[in-house]
Amino acid sequence: MKKPIVLITMGDAAGIGPEVIIKALSNKKIHKICFPVVIGDLSVMQFAILKFKSDFKINIVTDIKAEKFIPKCINLFDMSNLNASEIKMGQINKLAGKSSIEYIEKAVELINKNMANAVVTAPINKEAIARAGFWYQGHTEFLAKLTNTKHFEMMLVGGSLKVVLVTRHIPLKEVSKFLSKEKIVQTIKITNKYLKEYFNIKSPKIGVLGLNPHSGEGGLFGLEEKEIIIPAIKYANKININAIGPLVPDACFYKALKGEFDALVCMYHDQGLIPLKMLFFDKGVNITLGLPFIRTSADHGTAYDIAGKGIANCGSMIFAIELAARFSQRC
């Protein structure tokens, strides 16, 4: 099969996106498994190449076709949005925020024209995009809006651990209000579907976490398990999905690492991400389930505190590109 074309959005120019992209593309394995094309700005990428002492050349791509790519180059679709002199590393910049959104829009436009097989996104900054007038919780919600996707979920992968979130970026005190049988069932169904499609797991075993300590202790510590989570699991079982739970949150991650579950459905953001990032901080990948195309992302932010210092770890970006390429071969 022909190598897939993977679009990589540059992310926020003031963050570590350009650095981790350059470092990831220095890995020879990436070029063996796909044709990577960066959607970004020539000035910023040139600055980053000099800053981080890379020997990469840049090949400007205007027509995204595999035969136009030049080996050992960064193949760049230049948006001509930014001049590197306008950006101060590590500082919120409205222009950088606006441009980071436009890279995503262009990537979706190109993939909708069947010009590529997958999208990998470098990190954006929520405050920067808000200053530019875009009010989204993050990539996931913006991509869903662009593609008119109603049912979508966020999966995080690190090593053998996979977690999917029922609720995402909401205050902890609001989580219980946002939980419903229907929402949990939807998350379980999408998790089951993509474990089969992306990971080639024929009969997924999905662990469903409780919300409360000890999964509520029969209602002693909360009723969400009895009233919402257990009915959702029972419904999933009725439609032939092997969902098990509610699991005690403080014990189930150990079991998942040992292979007892193919994925864990978690009730809120930190319930799933704290253990995953503790174990796989440099190799975690964010996957959006439910979109009409493959999208993965490095599982870290813009890291303004280390931007421009040349010390950013590119492991997560490498893994994100690898997964995007692998999924493209299967779908």
Side-chain angles (χ1 to χ4, degrees):
M1 182 178 176
K2 197 173 183 180
K3 285 192 292 186
I5 298 171
V6 176
L7 305 178
I8 306 170
T9 60
M10 196 181 76
D12 188 300
I16 63 171
E19 178 184 347
V20 296
I21 289 171
I22 289 169
K23 288 180 175 179
L25 295 184
S26 298
N27 187 309
K28 292 179 181 178
K29 180 180 178 182
I30 296 299
H31 301 273
K32 289 179 180 178
I33 61 175
C34 70
F35 293 112
V37 179
V38 178
I39 310 291
D41 279 293
L42 176 61
S43 175
V44 175
M45 292 304 294
Q46 284 177 327
F47 173 81
I49 286 171
L50 291 172
K51 177 79 174 174
F52 305 117
K53 298 179 174 58
S54 169
D55 58 0
F56 266 129
K57 305 293 184 187
I58 292 179
N59 173 45
I60 298 297
V61 176
T62 55
D63 185 11
I64 299 184
K65 294 179 181 178
E67 62 268 20
K68 299 286 186 181
F69 299 161
I70 297 176
K72 299 179 181 178
C73 281
I74 291 180
N75 294 289
L76 175 71
F77 190 100
D78 181 21
M79 295 288 289
S80 300
N81 282 348
L82 295 173
N83 190 305
S85 63
E86 300 173 305
I87 305 300
K88 187 164 184 181
M89 300 300 292
Q91 290 191 8
I92 291 171
N93 185 293
K94 182 171 74 172
L95 287 175
K98 181 175 184 291
S99 296
S100 69
I101 287 291
E102 292 178 359
Y103 307 146
I104 301 164
E105 291 174 329
K106 177 56 70 173
V108 172
E109 176 191 326
L110 292 170
I111 206 161
N112 282 342
K113 292 179 179 177
N114 296 317
M115 301 294 285
N117 303 95
V119 176
V120 177
T121 56
I124 59 176
N125 182 277
K126 294 179 180 63
E127 187 175 346
I129 66 170
R131 288 189 186 183
F134 296 91
W135 304 97
Y136 291 96
Q137 292 178 328
H139 270 113
T140 303
E141 292 75 17
F142 184 52
L143 286 165
K145 175 72 173 176
L146 286 175
T147 56
N148 197 30
T149 301
K150 298 274 193 280
H151 301 304
F152 57 94
E153 306 298 344
M154 181 189 291
M155 173 184 277
L156 288 303
V157 178
S160 61
L161 188 60
K162 303 174 190 70
V163 302
V164 185
L165 309 178
V166 178
T167 65
R168 291 180 293 275
H169 301 115
I170 60 172
L172 188 56
K173 67 179 180 179
E174 302 289 330
V175 169
S176 183
K177 293 184 205 173
F178 278 84
L179 292 179
S180 67
K181 174 187 170 184
E182 293 73 23
K183 183 69 176 77
I184 296 169
V185 168
Q186 172 189 306
T187 307
I188 294 170
K189 286 171 69 176
I190 288 181
T191 301
N192 188 65
K193 171 182 168 69
Y194 284 94
L195 285 173
K196 291 178 178 180
E197 290 187 10
Y198 283 178
F199 295 93
N200 202 27
I201 300 171
K202 293 182 180 179
S203 301
K205 186 176 181 182
I206 300 169
V208 183
L209 276 63
L211 173 68
N212 299 296
H214 300 253
S215 284
E217 284 279 17
L220 184 63
F221 300 145
L223 296 173
E224 287 85 358
E225 285 76 15
K226 279 188 170 184
E227 295 178 352
I228 303 171
I229 301 173
I230 290 173
I233 294 169
K234 287 182 176 179
Y235 182 84
N237 294 156
K238 281 183 181 178
I239 58 174
N240 297 317
I241 296 175
N242 188 13
I244 298 166
L247 304 176
V248 175
D250 63 8
C252 63
F253 289 93
Y254 175 79
K255 294 179 181 179
L257 281 171
K258 294 294 184 182
E260 191 167 328
F261 303 103
D262 295 305
L264 296 176
V265 169
C266 303
M267 295 300 119
Y268 60 94
H269 184 278
D270 285 7
Q271 187 182 56
L273 267 61
I274 287 175
L276 187 137
K277 289 193 176 186
M278 180 182 70
L279 293 165
F280 303 105
F281 187 82
D282 293 330
K283 291 188 177 179
V285 174
N286 182 349
I287 306 167
T288 306
L289 308 180
L291 295 175
F293 54 80
I294 295 159
R295 179 261 172 163
T296 67
S297 175
D299 184 28
H300 55 69
T302 48
Y304 282 163
D305 57 325
I306 62 168
K309 296 180 180 178
I311 58 174
N313 189 304
C314 67
S316 182
M317 178 57 76
I318 289 173
F319 193 29
I321 299 170
E322 287 179 352
L323 282 183
R326 188 200 310 171
F327 296 161
S328 296
Q329 300 283 4
R330 289 178 178 166
C331 297

